[in-house]
C-alpha cells in the first residue's frame, strides 16, 4: 500500500468484487423462484395470482441485473478515465474556497449520477410497477418528488458536508469527534421530527377517523397504555397500491403511521394486529437501540476516516496530485465499503431479531391468528417472493421471511 497505483487497483478490486457478489446472490435467489411453496403458505395466491407474482419477480430480477451492470460499467469507466480528477478541476474553476470546491465536487457527481439513473427509475415506476397494477404515481408527482428530494439534499446534505469540511480545516486530527457529534445530534433530531418535518413535504398525514376501526384501536391502545393521538394515517395511495405501517420517533414525538392502502386492504382485526406489532417495536425500545447502534457505527466510521484522510496517496490514486478532503473522502468510502458490508450484516440480523420480538408482542397482547392473516394478505397484495434463497435473506433482508414469521407466530 505504498504507491497510488496499488491503491487504485485495490479500489477497482473492491468495486468489482461488490458487483460480482451482488450479482451472484441475485442469481442464486432467482434459482429459488420456482421452488414449491411451503405448505404453511399454501392458499395465499391462487393459480393466476401466483403466475403473476412469478412474472413480477423475474421482471424485477432482470431489471436489477441490467441496472447493476450498467452502473458498474459506468463507475469503472469513470475511474479508468480519471473522472474524479476531471470533476475536481471543474469545481476548482468555479471556487477557490475549500468548502466551495467540496460542495461543487459532490454536487456535480450527485446530479450527474442521478440524471444517469433517471431513465431507470422512470422505467421501474411507469413500466414495471404500472404493468403489475402497483403504480399510482403521476408524472407530476414523480417530477416534484425528484425536485423536492434534490432541494432537501442540497440544504441538509450540503449543510452537513460544509460543516464537516470546515471541522477538518480547523481541527485536522480531532475533526472526527466534532463530525461525529454533529451527525449524532442531527440523527437524534431527524429521528424525533421526521414525521413532522420531512414526511409532510411528500405526503399528507391525518389522525385516524372516527368509526369502528378507531374504536377497536382505541380499546387495544388503552389496554397496553399507548395514546391514540399518536396514530396517523398517511396517503400512501398517492404513489402505490403497496401497503405498509411504521413506527417513528420517541418520547413525546413517538407515532405510528398506517398507510391508507393498509386500511383498505385489511379488516379491523388484522389492522389492530399490525398496530400491535408496531406498538411492540415501541415497547421493546427498538427505535432507541437502532439509534444508539447507528451513532456508534458513525463514530467508528469517522474515526477510521480520520486515520486515512490526510494520506496523499488516496488523492493520488484517483489522479489528483495534492491531497484534498473531497477526493480522499471518495477513496475512503470505497475502501471502507467491505467493512460497511459487514456491519450491514449485523444491522440486518438485529433488525430481524427485533421483528420477531414485535411479532411476539402482538401475539401475546393481541392475536397471532389476526397477524398471520394480515401478513398473508400483505404478501399477496405486494406480490411478495414466498421462496427467497436463505443466503439472500441473511445478506439483504431486514425482516424475517413470511414463512419464518408465520412459523414463529404459530409456535
Ligand atoms: Zn416491524
Amino acid at each position: 500500500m505504498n504507491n497510488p497505483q496499488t491503491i487504485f487497483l485495490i479500489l477497482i478490486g473492491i468495486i468489482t468484487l461488490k458487483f460480482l457478489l451482488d450479482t451472484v446472490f441475485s442469481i442464486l435467489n432467482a434459482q429459488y423462484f420456482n421452488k414449491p411453496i411451503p405448505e404453511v403458505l399454501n392458499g395465499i395466491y391462487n393459480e393466476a395470482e401466483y403466475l403473476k407474482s412469478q412474472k413480477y419477480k423475474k421482471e424485477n430480477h432482470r431489471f436489477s441485473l441490467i441496472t447493476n451492470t450498467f452502473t458498474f460499467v459506468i463507475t469503472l469507466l469513470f475511474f479508468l478515465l480519471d473522472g474524479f480528477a476531471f470533476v475536481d478541476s471543474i469545481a476548482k474553476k468555479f471556487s477557490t474556497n475549500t468548502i466551495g470546491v467540496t460542495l461543487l465536487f459532490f454536487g456535480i457527481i450527485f446530479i450527474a449520477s442521478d440524471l444517469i439513473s433517471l431513465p431507470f427509475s422512470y422505467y421501474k415506476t411507469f413500466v414495471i410497477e404500472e404493468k403489475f397494477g402497483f403504480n399510482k404515481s403521476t408524472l407530476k408527482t414523480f417530477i416534484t418528488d425528484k425536485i423536492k428530494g434534490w432541494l432537501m439534499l442540497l440544504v441538509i446534505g450540503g449543510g452537513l458536508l460544509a460543516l464537516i469540511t470546515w471541522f477538518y480545516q480547523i481541527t485536522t486530527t480531532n475533526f472526527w469527534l466534532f463530525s461525529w457529534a454533529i451527525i449524532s445530534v442531527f440523527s437524534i433530531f431527524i429521528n424525533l421530527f421526521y414525521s413532522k418535518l420531512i414526511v409532510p413535504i411528500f405526503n399528507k398525514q391525518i389522525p385516524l377517523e372516527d368509526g369502528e376501526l378507531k374504536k377497536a384501536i382505541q380499546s387495544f391502545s388503552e389496554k397496553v397504555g399507548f395514546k391514540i393521538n399518536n396514530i396517523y394515517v398517511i396517503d400512501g395511495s398517492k404513489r402505490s397500491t403497496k401497503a405498509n405501517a411504521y413506527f417513528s420517533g420517541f418520547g413525546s414525538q413517538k407515532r405510528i403511521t398506517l398507510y391508507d392502502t393498509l386500511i383498505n386492504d385489511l379488516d379491523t382485526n388484522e389492522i389492530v394486529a399490525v398496530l400491535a406489532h408496531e406498538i411492540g417495536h415501541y415497547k421493546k425500545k427498538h427505535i432507541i437501540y437502532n439509534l444508539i447502534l447507528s451513532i456508534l457505527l458513525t463514530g467508528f466510521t469517522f474515526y477510521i476516516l480520520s486515520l486515512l484522510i490526510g494520506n496523499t496517496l488516496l488523492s493520488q490514486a484517483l489522479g489528483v496530485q495534492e491531497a484534498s478532503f473531497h477526493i480522499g473522502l471518495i477513496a475512503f468510502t470505497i475502501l471502507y465499503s467491505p467493512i460497511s458490508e459487514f456491519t450491514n450484516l449485523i444491522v440486518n440480523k438485529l433488525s430481524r431479531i427485533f421483528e420477531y420480538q414485535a411479532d411476539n408482542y402482538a401475539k401475546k397482547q393481541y392475536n397471532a391468528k389476526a397477524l398471520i392473516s394480515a401478513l398473508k394478505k400483505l404478501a399477496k397484495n405486494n406480490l411478495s417472493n414466498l421462496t427467497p434463497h436463505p443466503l439472500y435473506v441473511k445478506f439483504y433482508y431486514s425482516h424475517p421471511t413470511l414463512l419464518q414469521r408465520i412459523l414463529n407466530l404459530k409456535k
Side-chain angles (χ1 to χ4, degrees):
M1 282 268 271
N2 50 13
N3 76 61
Q5 282 77 22
T6 315
I7 297 188
F8 180 77
L9 288 177
I10 293 174
L11 295 178
I12 296 288
I14 290 175
I15 294 170
T16 310
L17 200 65
K18 162 89 177 124
F19 166 71
L20 290 176
L21 269 179
D22 282 343
T23 309
V24 167
F25 277 127
S26 184
I27 291 172
L28 266 184
N29 198 38
Q31 303 297 309
Y32 269 52
F33 284 171
N34 293 325
K35 282 249 162 185
I37 299 175
E39 215 181 289
V40 190
L41 302 182
N42 269 338
I44 291 183
Y45 295 119
N46 65 32
E47 191 89 12
E49 287 160 348
Y50 189 60
L51 281 176
K52 189 176 167 194
S53 87
Q54 295 287 76
K55 269 193 184 159
Y56 184 60
K57 284 186 285 191
K58 283 172 190 162
E59 189 139 352
N60 273 318
H61 171 61
R62 212 176 312 129
F63 178 71
S64 80
L65 282 187
I66 294 171
T67 3
N68 289 346
T69 309
F70 178 80
T71 313
F72 171 66
V73 171
I74 294 283
T75 312
L76 216 53
L77 281 175
F78 198 74
F79 271 81
L80 293 171
L81 299 172
D82 280 335
F84 294 109
F86 176 67
V87 177
D88 177 64
S89 71
I90 298 178
K92 280 178 179 152
K93 255 182 216 152
F94 289 94
S95 177
T96 49
N97 170 294
T98 311
I99 294 176
V101 172
T102 305
L103 290 179
L104 277 170
F105 176 82
F106 283 106
I108 295 170
I109 290 188
F110 170 77
I111 298 281
S113 65
D114 204 59
L115 286 177
I116 291 173
S117 65
L118 193 63
F120 293 100
S121 60
Y122 178 89
Y123 187 86
K124 169 80 183 150
T125 306
F126 293 104
V127 179
I128 301 183
E129 296 292 292
E130 183 79 38
K131 187 158 59 172
F132 290 91
F134 289 128
N135 180 44
K136 288 278 167 244
S137 190
T138 59
L139 190 59
K140 191 183 154 205
T141 309
F142 184 80
I143 294 171
T144 46
D145 277 359
K146 263 269 159 262
I147 296 171
K148 286 175 189 169
W150 281 3
L151 289 176
M152 235 171 63
L153 194 83
L154 182 74
V155 175
I156 299 176
L160 289 174
L161 185 62
L163 267 175
I164 291 170
T165 314
W166 182 60
F167 288 147
Y168 182 65
Q169 274 185 304
I170 56 171
T171 66
T172 327
T173 43
N174 281 333
F175 99 98
W176 71 277
L177 277 172
F178 291 91
S179 306
W180 184 21
I182 194 78
I183 295 288
S184 303
V185 170
F186 178 75
S187 319
I188 295 169
F189 176 81
I190 279 294
N191 242 285
L192 279 173
F193 299 106
Y194 172 76
S195 296
K196 269 194 187 143
L197 296 177
I198 307 288
V199 179
I201 301 176
F202 297 95
N203 283 88
K204 279 198 189 77
Q205 306 170 100
I206 45 165
L208 260 181
E209 274 170 34
D210 288 331
E212 181 219 8
L213 175 64
K214 188 168 179 175
K215 258 189 206 145
I217 289 181
Q218 200 148 25
S219 74
F220 178 75
S221 350
E222 263 162 29
K223 183 186 134 195
V224 296
F226 189 87
K227 276 198 195 126
I228 187 101
N229 54 10
N230 293 326
I231 302 167
Y232 284 80
V233 179
I234 194 173
D235 59 342
S237 58
K238 188 177 163 187
R239 295 187 183 81
S240 170
T241 60
K242 288 181 178 170
N244 202 358
Y246 62 86
F247 190 95
S248 62
F250 53 86
S252 64
Q253 298 301 322
K254 62 177 176 288
R255 73 162 80 179
I256 288 172
T257 309
L258 303 170
Y259 277 49
D260 54 354
T261 40
L262 184 99
I263 292 176
N264 273 336
D265 291 352
L266 306 184
D267 69 31
T268 303
N269 245 333
E270 293 162 341
I271 298 171
V272 180
V274 170
L275 193 93
H277 169 98
E278 297 305 330
I279 293 180
H281 279 308
Y282 160 69
K283 293 279 181 188
K284 303 277 173 193
K285 301 194 169 54
H286 293 159
I287 308 288
I288 302 283
Y289 290 141
N290 280 332
L291 191 60
I292 293 173
L293 180 66
S294 102
I295 288 176
L296 290 178
L297 284 175
T298 308
F300 177 68
T301 312
F302 272 121
Y303 176 67
I304 306 284
L305 172 67
S306 76
L307 299 180
L308 296 175
I309 192 75
N311 197 327
T312 332
L313 285 172
L314 289 187
S315 296
Q316 287 173 350
L318 295 178
V320 175
Q321 283 318 308
E322 66 187 280
S324 58
F325 184 73
H326 55 283
I327 301 286
L329 199 54
I330 293 275
F332 168 79
T333 309
I334 295 156
L335 286 176
Y336 187 76
S337 64
I339 302 177
S340 63
E341 284 293 309
F342 178 72
T343 54
N344 276 346
L345 268 180
I346 299 172
V347 169
N348 275 341
K349 173 74 187 170
L350 191 70
S351 164
R352 293 195 300 267
I353 293 175
F354 286 172
E355 291 307 319
Y356 281 129
Q357 289 181 351
D359 278 354
N360 290 341
Y361 179 87
K363 175 172 150 183
K364 201 172 153 208
Q365 297 296 334
Y366 192 64
N367 181 339
K369 251 191 190 154
L371 187 56
I372 290 175
S373 131
L375 291 173
K376 281 183 172 176
K377 260 193 198 169
L378 290 172
K380 171 193 161 123
N381 292 353
N382 294 348
L383 295 179
S384 295
N385 183 5
L386 301 185
T387 54
H389 194 286
L391 263 180
Y392 194 86
V393 174
K394 276 209 162 57
F395 269 80
Y396 301 97
Y397 271 42
S398 61
H399 286 56
T401 65
L402 181 65
L403 176 67
Q404 290 170 325
R405 290 180 77 176
I406 291 180
L407 289 179
N408 172 61
L409 283 167
K410 282 193 166 169
K411 240 193 269 173

